[in-house]
Amino acid sequence: MSSRARILQRLRDRTDGALVPPESDFSVMTGRGWGVQERLERFERLISSVHAEVIHTRQASWTETLAEVLTAKAVRRLALGHEHPVPAEARAALHEHEVDLVDANRDIEAWQREQFETVDAGLTSTGGAIAETGSLWLWPTPDEPRLTSLVPPLHIAVLDAETIEDTFFDVVEAHEWSQGMPTNALLISGPSKTADIEQTLAYGVHGPRELVVLIRHREEST
Amino acid sequence: MSVQTYTPREFHRQAHDALGNPQIRANFRKAMDGLMSKRRDVFSDWDLDALRELGANIRQRALARLPELLEQLEANCQANGIRVHWAQDGDEACRIIRELCEARDAKSVIKGKSMVSEEMHLNTHLEGAGIEALESDLGEYLVQLNEQTPSHIIMPAIHLNTDEISEIMHDKTGTERTRDVDYMTAAARAQLRERFMAADVGISGVNFAVAETGTLCLVENEGNGRMTTTVPPVHIAVTGIEKVVEHLRDVPPLYALLTRSATGQHVTTYFNMISGPRKPDEHDGPEEVHLVLVDNGRSSIYQDDELLDTLRCIRCGACMNHCPVYTRVGGHTYGTTYPGPIGKILMPHMMGLAETRDLPSASSLCGACGEVCPVKIPIPDLLVRLRKESVGEGRGNVPGAGVKRHRSEVLAWKGFQWLATHPGVWRSAMAIAGKLRGWMPTRLGGWTDYRSTPKPAKTSLHALVKRHRREEGSS
Ligand code: SF4
């Protein structure tokens, strides 16, 4: 008998008999009832508390803000995709800017060392965000691969204000994640960090040292 | 720094040594105090009872359906392109992983944090086969450099302070001696980035495995877990069979409980959900993903309704953070992969009660662990149950049951029981004890190691009350 069969048989032939699965009440995970402004404030407060930098901008002029960030952070080489509107608009706008645009949508084998050693920042879109914990959620794609948000020392994430939802549970339910998951889905809440040296917080251990969240607002009101 | 090996058999000696080591005591006291207050703050705006109830309920539901869910997990993982392997014990799991490495001609393995791999001593096994396994979680990396094992399941290097870590890094990697944590972190980052690029295989643990979608969830702050599972061409995830949950919606409550209970964080930096290897049109991620499901004693725990609760554990470490014993003796003293309260209720099943005889009784049963456990495991009750098992008064469902049963002890308790249920004899016995009080021996085994010898009172309380009543009545 295989190990698999043995393990399953032991579980099925349980000495104390079959167990009855209880019902679950998920109400504590949802129904926060926050308004748009409250969600935004909460998201910003929480993600800033773990060292992310939040910058507000307008839908119409976000690429100007991006250019300012790149200049301020002295980014010389920026990795980004091509097709998603976020990298596509960024490419169109940055083409006068002195930053080198590095294609993120290449097989990693071809440029691993280049990515690890010469790229200053990675730009990605986001699927949305979670107010309760100050988290971004990302579903990397062939156009915006997994490592773009991980390897470069600076990650710039573009978030639309209206895509912030209350809780992680609400996101999983509203977007029906259970109907089909991508190869990799991520929640990102701040730059990478560790407290393994005597509980002293240090940022930028294996992943990015800095996370900049560009929040795009539709209205002029920002 | 001297390298010492620890074993649960030597618990008392190791505890004695740790208690006499002011450095160890200070390091743990400081860390545990911080963790306790952070946890308290982060739960302040939650209905914690409702959340813990839900957490316990989700884990219980998963266990109730365990065999079906494991099959469903396997089917969905396979449909996603993840290959699933089953191991009855740690040795079999080690062999499976070694063979997967050998099939790729792997010489270098990079590891994300995995307590199951510690449980089966995977690194030693791989090294024996000429495969280098390097830990990439900063704490684990430091512990490995220092040739030690983790002293805490969440914060592996919690027993070391900044100066000690600086010394270790200086010694083993040639960095400057410093108290600058950013410098040391940056140095480790640079050292490990090279290793991520060069690694043939990445090995990680799993926090939750979702049956419904065939998804492996990993919780972390550092990014080493994402590196380990994305950069090398092969990713092997290894986990205990109890880590499965039924639905994706079961994940947010458990994740909320885990981060808050473990380190008092609202959320960790990364929550990494993996549902397959790289697809043909994708540009990064491993070509192969494997899941190794390890039993290693879990299916035995599963048999018994009371012991089953042990398997709800989500490995948050809150029970050790709040344990007065753990805080004083530190993690290594236990001599087991999992220290603290969870170790005391889990390790006897993995190593047997003969090996771990002192663990269930190394507790004052203060109840703190049970109170903070996010999935409401009644740890103190389980400790009592294991004590019963070890003296042969349980159901005999734990390996080594009855190992602490001594005829003299059984007789002594029987005698006491008889005495205590016969009031006349009891009173005469007490009167005699009062008369002989000067003859009490000064040493009474373990009792007098830390306490003075008890002396029977000249007159028993019973007699005093009687006399008092008489005097009151006559006045
Ligand atoms: S027993 Fe409870 S408190 Fe301890 S590690 Fe497991 S889940 Fe956390």
Side-chain angles (χ1 to χ4, degrees):
Chain A
M1 198 157 44
S2 69
S3 294
R4 176 187 188 276
R6 257 182 237 274
I7 293 169
L8 288 171
Q9 189 183 42
R10 278 181 65 75
L11 296 178
R12 290 222 154 88
D13 298 346
R14 191 171 179 276
T15 310
D16 286 356
L19 292 157
V20 183
E23 294 293 320
S24 305
D25 173 5
F26 286 89
S27 50
V28 65
M29 300 308 296
T30 185
R32 296 290 180 270
W34 294 324
V36 178
Q37 199 53 35
E38 216 173 339
R39 273 200 287 273
L40 183 66
E41 279 169 18
R42 220 190 145 92
F43 169 79
E44 179 166 356
R45 177 162 53 81
L46 282 159
I47 202 163
S48 305
S49 76
V50 287
H51 226 72
E53 200 177 320
V54 172
I55 299 175
H56 295 275
T57 179
R58 287 190 301 268
Q59 189 68 252
S61 58
W62 77 274
T63 51
E64 289 161 32
T65 314
L66 172 65
E68 286 162 24
V69 170
L70 296 176
T71 308
K73 305 265 177 199
V75 172
R76 281 155 306 143
R77 290 171 56 78
L78 175 72
L80 72 176
H82 276 97
E83 284 155 30
H84 188 282
V86 163
E89 286 170 33
R91 281 178 181 276
L94 289 172
H95 118 146
E96 296 283 284
H97 196 278
E98 58 196 10
V99 69
D100 282 347
L101 301 180
V102 180
D103 297 340
N105 52 338
R106 285 182 283 161
D107 280 349
I108 187 63
E109 288 71 18
W111 69 299
Q112 186 186 60
R113 193 159 281 277
E114 179 190 344
Q115 187 190 43
F116 270 73
E117 288 173 359
T118 73
V119 174
D120 302 312
L123 175 78
T124 72
S125 65
T126 55
I130 297 161
E132 183 163 78
T133 52
S135 310
L136 303 164
W137 64 267
L138 276 73
W139 280 21
T141 59
D143 189 48
E144 297 186 294
R146 294 155 78 157
L147 291 174
T148 315
S149 62
L150 182 63
V151 171
L154 166 64
H155 174 206
I156 304 171
V158 179
L159 173 71
D160 289 325
E162 69 273 13
T163 61
I164 306 176
E165 288 164 89
D166 288 352
T167 68
F168 181 26
F169 182 81
D170 292 337
V171 168
V172 168
E173 294 286 282
H175 299 269
E176 299 187 326
W177 282 21
S178 60
Q179 296 308 303
M181 287 289 279
T183 306
N184 187 214
L186 294 164
L187 303 191
I188 298 181
S189 314
S192 83
K193 62 176 180 289
T194 184
D196 274 348
I197 302 181
E198 208 184 329
Q199 304 263 279
T200 309
L201 207 50
Y203 287 93
V205 53
H206 298 290
R209 296 196 176 93
E210 289 181 273
L211 170 66
V212 171
V213 184
L214 290 183
I215 304 186
R216 302 193 297 192
H217 298 264
R218 286 196 182 285
E219 323 278 282
E220 293 282 313
S221 65
T222 59
Chain B
M1 213 162 295
S2 70
V3 176
Q4 200 187 334
T5 49
Y6 297 88
T7 140
R9 277 203 176 261
E10 295 290 324
F11 178 82
H12 283 294
R13 190 182 53 75
Q14 287 156 194
H16 189 265
D17 292 351
L19 288 169
N21 182 335
Q23 191 64 70
I24 289 281
R25 293 190 63 168
N27 293 359
F28 277 94
R29 181 81 263 172
K30 179 176 168 224
M32 298 305 121
D33 283 350
L35 287 163
M36 284 193 285
S37 80
K38 274 167 76 187
R39 173 189 173 276
R40 204 165 44 234
D41 295 346
V42 78
F43 273 124
S44 60
D45 52 353
W46 276 83
D47 181 349
L48 182 53
D49 287 338
L51 187 58
R52 287 174 73 222
E53 188 61 45
L54 176 58
N57 170 291
I58 288 170
R59 293 295 303 132
Q60 183 66 24
R61 176 157 46 79
L63 293 173
R65 301 206 165 113
L66 190 56
E68 297 133 71
L69 292 186
L70 287 169
E71 284 176 318
Q72 192 191 355
L73 174 71
E74 177 185 51
N76 285 324
C77 282
Q78 280 167 351
N80 294 342
I82 299 174
R83 283 173 47 199
V84 180
H85 313 262
W86 303 69
Q88 292 190 74
D89 54 28
D91 289 344
E92 190 178 2
C94 282
R95 199 175 65 238
I96 292 169
I97 293 173
R98 172 175 46 81
E99 285 169 6
L100 289 170
C101 291
E102 285 168 349
R104 298 285 303 208
D105 209 12
K107 288 281 163 281
S108 140
V109 163
I110 194 98
K111 287 185 67 211
K113 211 168 142 319
S114 156
M115 287 310 294
V116 176
S117 77
E118 297 282 348
E119 179 186 316
M120 62 208 218
H121 309 293
L122 178 63
N123 295 3
T124 318
H125 180 92
L126 290 178
E127 265 146 40
I131 302 166
E132 193 197 8
L134 186 73
E135 298 289 346
S136 65
D137 170 270
L138 182 59
E140 290 259 5
Y141 179 62
L142 294 167
V143 163
Q144 192 182 28
L145 283 179
N146 203 32
E147 296 167 53
Q148 286 181 310
T149 52
S151 57
H152 190 285
I153 62 172
I154 301 286
M155 287 147 294
I158 199 118
H159 57 288
L160 300 169
N161 64 23
T162 309
D163 292 324
E164 291 167 316
I165 290 170
S166 161
E167 200 54 39
I168 294 164
M169 288 195 66
H170 170 76
D171 241 33
K172 305 281 168 134
T173 72
T175 52
E176 302 290 323
R177 285 196 181 90
T178 175
R179 307 211 76 233
D180 181 348
V181 171
D182 287 323
Y183 165 83
M184 286 188 271
T185 306
R189 173 191 174 96
Q191 290 158 11
L192 283 159
R193 281 202 155 205
E194 280 302 322
R195 310 300 291 266
F196 280 118
M197 282 191 273
D200 302 305
V201 172
I203 297 179
S204 77
V206 175
N207 291 96
F208 318 112
V210 186
E212 170 179 56
T213 52
T215 300
L216 312 176
C217 304
L218 276 78
V219 175
E220 58 148 344
N221 283 308
E222 294 188 1
N224 69 305
R226 286 184 66 198
M227 287 279 192
T228 301
T229 57
T230 314
V231 177
V234 179
H235 168 209
I236 304 172
V238 50
T239 189
I241 51 171
E242 85 285 13
K243 285 284 173 72
V244 66
V245 295
E246 187 171 11
H247 299 297
L248 207 54
R249 69 200 316 239
D250 292 334
V251 166
L254 295 179
Y255 180 44
L257 283 165
L258 176 57
T259 66
R260 290 174 175 83
S261 303
T263 50
Q265 291 177 274
H266 293 278
V267 71
T268 49
T269 302
Y270 300 115
F271 189 64
N272 181 8
M273 308 175 85
I274 297 164
S275 306
R278 183 194 306 199
K279 296 208 177 81
D281 60 343
E282 290 173 342
H283 301 295
D284 60 14
E287 296 150 22
E288 281 177 36
V289 178
H290 299 267
L291 173 64
V292 183
L293 295 168
V294 187
D295 180 341
N296 204 24
R298 289 162 174 84
S299 63
S300 316
I301 304 176
Y302 189 74
Q303 304 299 316
D304 180 301
D305 279 343
E306 185 180 20
L307 301 174
L308 177 77
D309 291 347
T310 314
L311 297 176
R312 289 209 297 263
C313 177
I314 56 171
R315 305 283 189 265
C316 71
C319 53
M320 53 199 80
N321 299 349
H322 290 76
C323 178
V325 176
Y326 176 90
T327 303
R328 284 168 180 78
V329 303
H332 287 145
T333 294
Y334 296 82
T336 49
T337 305
Y338 303 92
I342 178 60
K344 291 182 204 174
I345 60 169
L346 186 60
M347 294 313 299
H349 301 285
M350 294 183 175
M351 304 176 82
L353 279 165
E355 210 43 43
T356 58
R357 60 207 309 152
D358 292 325
L359 298 191
S361 49
S363 165
S364 65
L365 298 181
C366 74
C369 49
E371 236 166 80
V372 296
C373 175
V375 288
K376 298 177 84 166
I377 300 174
I379 302 172
D381 296 348
L382 288 164
L383 289 170
V384 172
R385 167 70 188 276
L386 289 170
R387 290 180 189 185
K388 282 192 186 147
E389 293 289 347
S390 66
V391 295
E393 304 274 328
R395 295 176 56 191
N397 284 355
V398 184
V403 66
K404 280 177 96 171
R405 190 176 180 87
H406 295 301
R407 187 115 56 102
S408 52
E409 198 178 343
V410 175
L411 277 175
W413 284 112
K414 281 237 168 78
F416 176 76
Q417 188 184 21
W418 184 82
L419 205 59
T421 47
H422 292 79
V425 192
W426 172 267
R427 272 194 289 275
S428 342
M430 285 306 109
I432 295 169
K435 297 236 158 62
L436 298 180
R437 59 199 291 271
W439 296 73
M440 273 305 277
T442 47
R443 295 203 49 80
L444 285 173
W447 182 268
T448 46
D449 284 351
Y450 305 101
R451 307 172 188 85
S452 54
T453 318
K455 242 184 192 181
K458 217 179 275 170
T459 324
S460 73
L461 180 65
H462 200 93
L464 281 175
V465 171
K466 232 178 181 173
R467 193 194 306 158
H468 182 70
R469 287 229 178 101
R470 243 191 343 255
E471 284 167 6
E472 271 201 335
S474 64
S475 67

